[in-house]
Amino acid sequence: AQTVTQSQPEMSVQEAETVTLSCTYDTSENNYYLFWYKQPPSRQMILVIRQEAYKQQNATENRFSVNFQKAAKSFSLKISDSQLGDTAMYFCAFKPGAQKLVFGQGTRLTINP
Amino acid sequence: NAGVTQTPKFQVLKTGQSMTLQCAQDMNHEYMSWYRQDPGMGLRLIHYSVGAGITDQGEVPNGYNVSRSTTEDFPLRLLSAAPSQTSVYFCASSGTGMRQPQHFGDGTRLSIL
């Protein structure tokens, strides 16, 4: 079975600090996509960043970057210069084919002023 | 551009009642899916569709029915609601291809008494 594990149920950091959220996955597929979604208190699911397994270069979107280690099946999200608006649930998701997404359990991130 | 629209946003049902959660998208996406979100478990796939007239079961399909008569609409039916179906339900759509992210509706919070 394909699974995604987020080992940190909750994290808390001070504003402007850097924080890293962990994600590991299990698959026998060779090509796939990985995503991080953000869910603020408004309940919306917002795409933060995505990474193709064939690309060795780590994806970056402004203050958000990933550390993708394919051999270790690890896909962590780094948020630099954290802001109060980054407070949210963060979900790691794995897409082995054209359709299905498999989600991790989520990490609740709180940015403190 | 409305994206993915879910109705209603909130609903309270009694055990044994039936209801339909509506989902519509205006992006001409072939792929649509329903997830449920429960605390500590992330999002789990209920049913999905790869095009009009084609549906398939996800990870937790029991107690739910779907149909896809048009590209735009993908309703989720609860035939006889049970307290275990109390959850937040998300509809999502995406274009074909592994790279395409899923676009989510705002969710429906459903409580079964």
Side-chain angles (χ1 to χ4, degrees):
Chain A
Q2 292 157 333
T3 59
V4 177
T5 301
Q6 295 178 247
S7 58
Q8 305 150 311
E10 294 188 22
M11 296 189 72
S12 178
V13 298
Q14 297 298 119
E15 193 175 6
E17 289 184 343
T18 294
V19 59
T20 300
L21 309 183
S22 301
C23 173
T24 59
Y25 57 95
D26 185 22
T27 184
S28 58
E29 302 285 340
N30 195 41
N31 194 25
Y32 45 85
Y33 266 83
L34 294 157
F35 301 85
W36 278 98
Y37 280 89
K38 169 185 178 181
Q39 187 180 43
S42 65
R43 203 169 70 195
Q44 291 178 298
M45 291 290 288
I46 302 166
L47 176 66
V48 175
I49 199 165
R50 60 182 150 183
Q51 173 80 41
E52 183 179 7
Y54 265 119
K55 289 189 176 179
Q56 294 189 347
Q57 185 175 4
N58 290 322
T60 299
E61 290 286 345
N62 300 315
R63 298 183 293 108
F64 298 88
S65 61
V66 299
N67 183 4
F68 173 50
Q69 303 288 331
K70 189 173 183 179
K73 295 179 183 175
S74 170
F75 182 60
S76 61
L77 174 69
K78 185 172 84 170
I79 305 174
S80 302
D81 186 26
S82 58
Q83 301 174 359
L84 297 179
D86 295 333
T87 292
M89 281 289 287
Y90 286 82
F91 291 98
C92 176
F94 163 76
K95 194 178 188 187
Q99 296 116 21
K100 298 178 185 179
L101 265 181
V102 180
F103 284 88
Q105 306 93 321
T107 295
R108 184 177 302 279
L109 175 65
T110 302
I111 310 299
N112 298 307
Chain B
N1 190 347
V4 179
T5 303
Q6 286 184 239
T7 56
K9 294 194 184 306
F10 302 93
Q11 184 72 48
V12 179
L13 292 179
K14 294 181 180 179
T15 298
Q17 286 185 316
S18 63
M19 82 160 295
T20 300
L21 306 186
Q22 301 292 344
C23 176
Q25 53 93 6
D26 61 1
M27 296 172 283
N28 202 32
H29 285 163
E30 289 297 319
Y31 181 72
M32 296 186 74
S33 55
W34 277 101
Y35 296 87
R36 61 178 288 174
Q37 182 180 12
D38 301 296
M41 302 187 74
L43 278 74
R44 292 181 293 166
L45 183 64
I46 304 171
H47 285 285
Y48 66 98
S49 169
V50 299
I54 306 170
T55 63
D56 205 349
Q57 296 180 352
E59 181 184 358
V60 287
N62 292 341
Y64 308 95
N65 278 354
V66 293
S67 60
R68 183 96 179 269
S69 57
T70 67
T71 299
E72 295 78 18
D73 300 299
F74 190 45
L76 178 72
R77 297 183 186 86
L78 285 71
L79 298 179
S80 179
S84 61
Q85 294 177 304
T86 293
S87 187
V88 178
Y89 291 85
F90 285 95
C91 178
S93 74
S94 72
T96 55
M98 196 182 300
R99 187 178 189 277
Q100 302 303 318
Q102 294 197 6
H103 300 262
F104 287 83
D106 290 341
T108 295
R109 181 175 294 279
L110 181 62
S111 296
I112 316 295
L113 304 179

